[in-house]
Amino acid sequence: MPAVLVLLLGILASVAIWSMETADEERIAKEKFQANTDGLCKAIQSRMLAYEQILRGGVSLFATMGDVSREQWTTYVKGLDVQQNFPGIHGLGYAAYVQADKKAEFLAKIRAQALPDYAIRPPGERSEYGPVTYLEPRSERNLKALGFDMLAEPTRHEAMVNARDTGKMAISAKLKLAAEPNQSQAFGFLVYIPVFTNGMPTRSVEERRVALRGFVNSPFRIDDLMNGFLQRYSEHMRLQIYDGEVASPEHLMYDQHSGAAEKATPLTDRKSVV
């Protein structure tokens, strides 16, 4: 019996020590995971705040100059060196707000700026248009987006109306970028800040609607935006990003490992934002 008791006590002691070590390892793993996720969230927030500031710089350019030419917009964006300093941004753009009775005048003005083939897409008569007017840098991909009427597409339209009516920055739901190749299934989102005509009141929603001049905006490709964070924060993690608060396949924007986001379908009728 004494020998059996000693054996049992030894076994119990071993189990207790193993349980303590396992619990300690789990605690350390959880703390490391929490630190990584907190760091990743703060890094993303910090980067998006920096990106917001360069968009607001574009708005300030219109407030200062009144009318900004294509060359002046090019100079502004070139000075930022977007591709080097702001990974994830595909460009910095401006979309004019054009009412139907001003469409011909707008097209003539843009075509006179060394863009004789500029046209608003998709074709058709609408009461208002929000065509991509400037988009820098002038990469082959960005040039394909010129003329695309963002107000004609429901997801973009929702974000632009939100920005106009609130007078604040608005982020679209997930979508396929206009400059993305047809065969690509990668998703992104756009950020909009409204530009109002200098000197016009903007205190109420109605005043902001009357004073609206256009939108400074930037398209983001989610894969490119996240690549800069992965090596630092995603060790032993599987990073997934969803549009809104519901973690379901149709809301999935980005999946680091499986590429499931590329199989998800874009959303066109949701009010949640990225």
Side-chain angles (χ1 to χ4, degrees):
M1 286 296 295
V4 172
L5 289 174
V6 170
L7 176 61
L8 289 174
L9 289 173
I11 292 173
L12 291 173
S14 297
V15 170
I17 293 172
W18 176 81
S19 297
M20 292 174 62
E21 289 178 347
T22 301
D24 195 47
E25 289 174 357
E26 289 181 353
R27 178 184 60 80
I28 293 173
K30 288 180 180 179
E31 289 176 353
K32 184 177 181 179
F33 175 79
Q34 189 63 52
N36 278 340
T37 53
D38 289 346
L40 177 62
C41 289
K42 289 178 181 177
I44 294 174
Q45 290 172 348
S46 177
R47 178 173 289 184
M48 293 306 298
L49 284 173
Y51 293 172
E52 179 183 351
Q53 292 308 307
I54 70 169
L55 267 72
R56 294 200 178 280
V59 175
S60 297
L61 186 64
F62 277 93
T64 302
M65 304 292 294
D67 190 21
V68 177
S69 68
R70 184 174 303 277
E71 290 71 23
Q72 288 168 333
W73 187 259
T74 299
T75 300
Y76 170 66
V77 178
K78 187 176 181 180
L80 295 171
D81 196 1
V82 169
Q83 292 179 317
Q84 180 65 33
N85 297 323
F86 301 95
I89 288 186
H90 269 212
L92 192 62
Y94 172 70
Y97 174 66
V98 183
Q99 293 179 315
D101 60 345
K102 300 291 184 181
K103 179 182 178 182
E105 178 183 342
F106 169 78
L107 288 174
K109 178 181 177 181
I110 300 301
R111 288 169 181 171
Q113 300 175 6
L115 291 172
D117 298 325
Y118 183 92
I120 295 178
R121 303 176 285 108
E125 297 302 319
R126 296 179 285 278
S127 61
E128 57 184 4
Y129 306 85
V132 177
T133 309
Y134 305 150
L135 186 56
E136 299 288 339
R138 296 185 194 181
S139 63
E140 181 179 354
R141 172 177 287 183
N142 284 343
L143 288 173
K144 292 179 181 179
L146 287 179
F148 177 71
D149 180 11
M150 293 190 283
L151 278 174
E153 193 280 314
T155 303
R156 293 169 174 83
H157 182 277
E158 182 178 18
M160 295 166 81
V161 167
N162 185 21
R164 177 199 66 190
D165 288 354
T166 63
K168 300 178 181 179
M169 184 182 78
I171 304 174
S172 77
K174 82 172 189 179
L175 45 75
K176 186 174 179 180
L177 300 176
E180 198 71 31
N182 291 332
Q183 66 272 20
S184 173
Q185 294 299 311
F187 294 112
F189 60 93
L190 283 101
V191 177
Y192 297 96
I193 300 181
V195 176
F196 299 108
T197 302
N198 287 346
M200 294 188 68
T202 56
R203 293 181 298 273
S204 68
V205 172
E206 289 303 320
E207 287 177 342
R208 287 191 285 271
R209 290 178 179 179
V210 172
L212 182 66
R213 181 173 182 172
F215 301 87
V216 170
N217 61 89
S218 183
F220 291 83
R221 191 174 187 271
I222 191 68
D223 291 31
D224 296 338
L225 180 65
M226 296 309 304
N227 282 342
F229 298 114
L230 297 183
Q231 291 183 345
R232 181 175 179 183
Y233 293 104
S234 65
E235 183 180 3
H236 307 306
M237 293 171 60
R238 177 176 175 179
L239 178 63
Q240 294 177 317
I241 298 177
Y242 292 85
D243 174 27
E245 300 179 356
V246 179
S248 60
E250 63 269 25
H251 298 160
L252 183 65
M253 288 189 71
Y254 175 82
D255 190 327
Q256 176 189 353
H257 290 167
S258 72
E262 296 188 357
K263 301 176 184 177
T265 54
L267 307 179
T268 58
D269 58 351
R270 296 182 60 251
K271 294 185 178 180
S272 60
V273 297
V274 175

